[in-house]
Amino acid sequence: MNANGEAFATYLTNNKQLIDDYVLAHTPAPTIRRDQTLDLDRYLYGPVTRFVMAGGKRIRPALCLLGAEAVGADRTAGLPVAAAVELFQAAALIHDDIADQSTMRRGEPCVHKTHGVGIAINAGDAALVAVTTAIVRNHSLYKNVRLQLLDEVITMEEHTLEGQALDLGWARDNRWDLSAYDYLEMARCKTAYYSAAVPLAMGALSGGGNVEQVEGLRRFGLRTGLAFQIQDDLLNLVGDAEAQGKDYRSDITEGKRTLIMVWAVEHLLDQKKRTELVEILSSGTTDPEQLARAVDIAQEVGALEHAQSYAKTLINNAKTDLSKIHIAEEARRVLISMADFFIERTS
């Protein structure tokens, strides 16, 4: 980790236990008679709780706390929305793993592999219900603030579903007639809103932030969240193969539309290489030589360099915008570090 991202890495470490304890206390729980709780724990609440608490850096909920601090509030003001965001993340991942037919998540078998598809869908739905519950039933928040936060949740869910629809639809129809702009719009919807923009905005709202602060933090989050996704795309192709294990270059196997591959296909003038790249991306291959060949073709046309450059531009523009917002200086320092962390991380 470069020194520029250390302040945010430290912020994550210092707040993880606080977030874990609060999220655990607000995971879904039985609402019916006591003699059914053992079965409900087995078939619904246990799988949800185990998945939520199984791992993750807690970046999104940490941003809720940071959003509250940015507007001058105590970090604990962001805890209700931190729980909501983390529960949304759990629901999205459980459902994504079913849609993608994945087998492993966070080093463990996916919920649909251990409990079956039906129970996994229901567990994901329970986590989604808990997103709303974490806000609506939290009476430490004023009613008008709760309504604003619910609107943020709805917006986040709408954008995420739209992005997921494009991602799944393009894969289903084997679409490679896409532009880099198409990819960026999809990734902005699918990732940037719920990974950074909405957590920061909701944290600021919970902390009593004004419109300038909330919208400024949202813009900052949209840019940095998109850079976060591009870095994910890059790490899958050129990151630590040993650390990633079977996931290394899995984006190629799964034919995922990433900025690197979409840009490469769009800009390859050599029709033979373009056809070869699309064939590899459409084949589902796990052959290391074929995976390496796809990366080589993308490298030759400058796609990896373009993705790195674009992510850095997003980060630089985000920092410039942040300098114009009236927020707490310590929070500004950590947010700037967060921007660097997003494109410096190696996992």
Side-chain angles (χ1 to χ4, degrees):
M1 172 63 60
N2 186 293
N4 291 342
E6 285 182 2
F8 184 67
T10 299
Y11 189 87
L12 291 177
T13 300
N14 291 345
N15 286 285
K16 189 175 186 304
Q17 193 62 55
L18 174 67
I19 292 167
D20 282 351
D21 290 346
Y22 190 91
V23 171
L24 179 60
H26 291 82
T27 52
T31 61
I32 63 175
R33 65 183 189 274
R34 184 171 297 178
D35 59 348
Q36 295 292 332
T37 56
L38 288 178
D39 280 348
L40 283 172
D41 182 70
R42 180 182 180 186
Y43 301 131
L44 181 60
Y45 299 115
V48 174
T49 299
R50 283 190 289 276
F51 184 84
V52 171
M53 303 310 296
K57 297 183 179 71
R58 306 296 191 225
I59 290 175
R60 294 164 185 85
L63 293 185
C64 295
L65 273 58
L66 189 53
E69 289 184 290
V71 299
D74 188 86
R75 60 178 178 164
T76 56
L79 281 172
V81 290
V85 167
E86 192 65 9
L87 289 162
F88 178 76
Q89 162 83 339
L93 293 180
I94 291 170
H95 288 160
D96 279 1
D97 287 341
I98 297 169
D100 296 340
Q101 299 180 29
S102 301
T103 58
M104 301 292 290
R105 170 71 67 177
R106 295 172 174 171
E108 300 289 338
C110 295
V111 178
H112 69 94
K113 287 296 182 182
T114 55
H115 296 280
V117 171
I119 285 178
I121 291 173
N122 206 41
D125 289 347
L128 274 179
V129 170
V131 173
T132 306
T133 302
I135 294 170
V136 172
R137 296 180 182 170
N138 194 301
H139 299 290
S140 68
L141 299 166
Y142 291 115
K143 286 184 178 180
N144 66 314
V145 175
R146 277 181 265 168
L147 186 60
Q148 288 178 286
L149 292 172
L150 284 177
D151 188 54
E152 291 288 344
V153 167
I154 291 168
T155 300
M156 174 179 70
E157 291 176 341
E158 287 172 340
H159 284 303
T160 305
L161 290 170
E162 289 171 351
Q164 178 75 335
L166 292 173
D167 199 23
L168 291 171
W170 292 341
R172 185 198 69 182
D173 295 344
N174 198 29
R175 293 275 305 279
W176 286 102
D177 58 333
L178 307 169
S179 67
Y181 177 81
D182 293 325
Y183 166 83
L184 293 169
E185 284 299 294
M186 180 275 290
R188 185 175 288 107
C189 284
K190 182 178 177 179
T191 302
Y193 275 96
Y194 97 90
S195 288
V198 173
L200 283 170
M202 288 204 297
L205 281 169
S206 299
N210 60 39
V211 172
E212 179 213 8
Q213 291 170 321
V214 172
E215 295 310 314
L217 288 168
R218 189 195 312 281
R219 289 192 301 272
F220 177 81
L222 279 173
R223 287 193 169 99
T224 55
L226 187 52
F228 181 95
Q229 180 58 57
I230 294 170
Q231 180 70 0
D232 258 4
D233 297 346
L234 286 162
L235 288 175
N236 188 265
L237 301 184
V238 297
D240 188 329
E242 185 175 345
Q244 290 194 50
K246 65 186 295 182
D247 288 333
Y248 185 58
R249 294 181 172 172
S250 60
D251 284 356
I252 300 173
T253 301
E254 296 171 17
K256 285 191 176 180
R257 277 66 182 161
T258 65
L259 179 59
I260 298 101
M261 292 305 170
V262 168
W263 196 90
V265 171
E266 183 184 11
H267 289 83
L268 273 167
L269 298 179
D270 185 325
Q271 188 60 42
K272 183 178 179 181
K273 285 186 178 179
R274 184 183 185 280
T275 300
E276 181 185 4
L277 179 58
V278 171
E279 286 177 350
I280 294 172
L281 293 168
S282 305
S283 68
T285 183
T286 58
D287 179 0
E289 291 187 5
Q290 285 291 291
L291 300 179
R293 176 59 181 159
V295 175
D296 287 344
I297 294 173
Q299 183 82 56
E300 288 172 16
V301 76
L304 275 75
E305 182 180 354
H306 171 76
Q308 290 169 332
S309 176
Y310 194 87
K312 288 178 180 177
T313 298
L314 284 168
I315 293 300
N316 290 335
N317 289 342
K319 289 179 182 179
T320 298
D321 277 354
L322 192 68
S323 68
K324 303 171 184 177
I325 309 169
H326 296 289
I327 56 174
E329 287 307 315
E330 177 57 21
R332 190 192 310 277
R333 184 181 74 86
V334 178
L335 285 165
I336 290 171
S337 175
M338 180 204 92
D340 293 323
F341 176 92
F342 276 8
I343 60 169
E344 290 171 1
R345 63 198 172 86
T346 56
S347 63

